[in-house]
Amino acid sequence: RNVERLMSLISDLLDLSSLDSNEVMHRTKVSTEEITNRVLKQLSPVVDSRKHAVKTVIDVPYVYADQKRLEQVMVNLLDNASKYTLQGGRIELKWNCESSSHVVFSVKDSGAGIAREHQTRLFERFYRVDRARSRELGGTGLGLAIVKHIMQRHEGSVSIESELGKGTTFFCRFPIHSLVNS
Ligand code: ATP
Ligand code: MG
C-alpha cells in the first residue's frame, strides 16, 4: 500500500510540474454524457462501497476540453465528494450552461461541508482540512491543486460553495469561446 501511495504521489507531482510548465491542452469536442459515464464507471467501486446515490443532470451535450485532463478533474472531484460524504449520502454531477459564455460542470455532495476559513486554502498543494482524518482516507492533498491548474490551462476556473452540515458544491467553468486548440 505504501508503494502504491508513493507512486500516486509521484504521478500527482509530475502532473503538477507539467501543468506548471504550461503543458498544451489538446482540446476536442467531448461528449459530456460519455465522459460522465466513463468517470462514474471508473469510480463505481468507491461510490458503491459507500452506498451513495449519484444523480446526473446533463443539460449541455458537449464541452471543448482536453479529454484526459477533464477526466482527471471529474475523477478528483467525484472521489472527494465520495470520500468526504458519510455513507448513504447524495451526490449530483451536473453539466449546464451559464449565460452564453460558460459551460459549467458541478459536483454537489451532502457531506459535512467546509468552513469558510478553509475554503480559500483548499486549492493549495498539500492543504487538508482535517489532517488526521484525511490521512486515514489516503490521498496526498494534491487533488484540488491539480484541478485548479487544469482549469486555468483551459482559461476556466474552479470555485466552491459550501455550508457546514449541509454539503459542498464545486463548480468548474469552461469558456465557450475557447473552441480552438491551444
Ligand atoms: P488527494 O486528492 O490527493 O487524494 P485529498 O482528497 O486530501 O487527497 P484534495 O482533493 O486536494 O486532497 O482535497 C483537499 C482537502 O479538501 C481534503 O483533504 C478535504 O479536507 C477537503 N475536501 C475536498 N473535497 C471535499 C468535499 N467534497 N467535502 C468536504 N471536504 C472536502
Ligand atoms: Mg482528493
Side-chain angles (χ1 to χ4, degrees):
R1 232 182 65 208
N2 281 327
V3 172
E4 251 170 47
R5 203 174 272 193
L6 191 59
M7 294 293 286
S8 111
L9 171 65
I10 291 168
S11 147
D12 282 352
L13 287 170
L14 287 174
D15 278 342
L16 273 173
S17 139
S18 169
L19 289 161
D20 257 351
S21 52
N22 293 342
E23 176 191 295
V24 174
M25 295 291 109
H26 297 287
R27 283 180 231 202
T28 56
K29 187 173 170 178
V30 178
S31 156
T32 49
E33 187 172 352
E34 279 171 26
I35 199 164
T36 304
N37 288 338
R38 248 198 331 275
V39 167
L40 278 171
K41 201 164 161 192
Q42 192 182 327
L43 282 184
S44 69
V46 188
V47 173
D48 293 350
S49 74
R50 297 183 58 75
K51 302 194 168 51
H52 293 318
V54 182
K55 183 180 163 194
T56 58
V57 179
I58 300 188
D59 290 339
V60 173
Y62 55 83
V63 60
Y64 282 88
D66 182 302
Q67 176 153 320
K68 194 179 122 235
R69 290 305 189 193
L70 170 58
E71 210 166 297
Q72 199 174 5
V73 164
M74 296 172 74
V75 165
N76 270 316
L77 293 179
L78 179 56
D79 179 61
N80 281 351
S82 199
K83 268 200 310 204
Y84 304 114
T85 299
L86 286 177
Q87 282 219 357
R90 278 167 287 113
I91 298 173
E92 184 181 283
L93 304 181
K94 183 172 173 182
W95 283 99
N96 70 296
C97 250
E98 188 182 70
S99 67
S100 56
S101 61
H102 287 84
V103 168
V104 185
F105 169 67
S106 58
V107 181
K108 180 179 183 180
D109 67 53
S110 63
I114 301 163
R116 189 161 287 275
E117 68 260 33
H118 296 296
Q119 288 180 17
T120 46
R121 303 203 54 194
L122 281 186
F123 300 96
E124 292 171 16
R125 292 166 194 206
F126 299 113
Y127 190 84
R128 312 181 89 180
V129 174
D130 177 344
R131 285 175 189 277
R133 219 179 76 79
S134 295
R135 200 167 298 125
E136 238 168 70
L137 292 167
T140 48
L142 289 173
L144 287 175
I146 292 174
V147 166
K148 183 179 168 188
H149 273 75
I150 294 176
M151 291 314 299
Q152 282 173 347
R153 298 294 303 134
H154 281 88
E155 284 97 44
S157 61
V158 56
S159 62
I160 177 176
E161 262 174 29
S162 186
E163 208 181 316
L164 277 179
K166 291 212 167 144
T168 304
T169 309
F170 282 93
F171 299 91
C172 295
R173 291 186 171 77
F174 297 85
I176 283 180
H177 70 260
S178 59
L179 303 182
V180 284
N181 267 341
S182 70

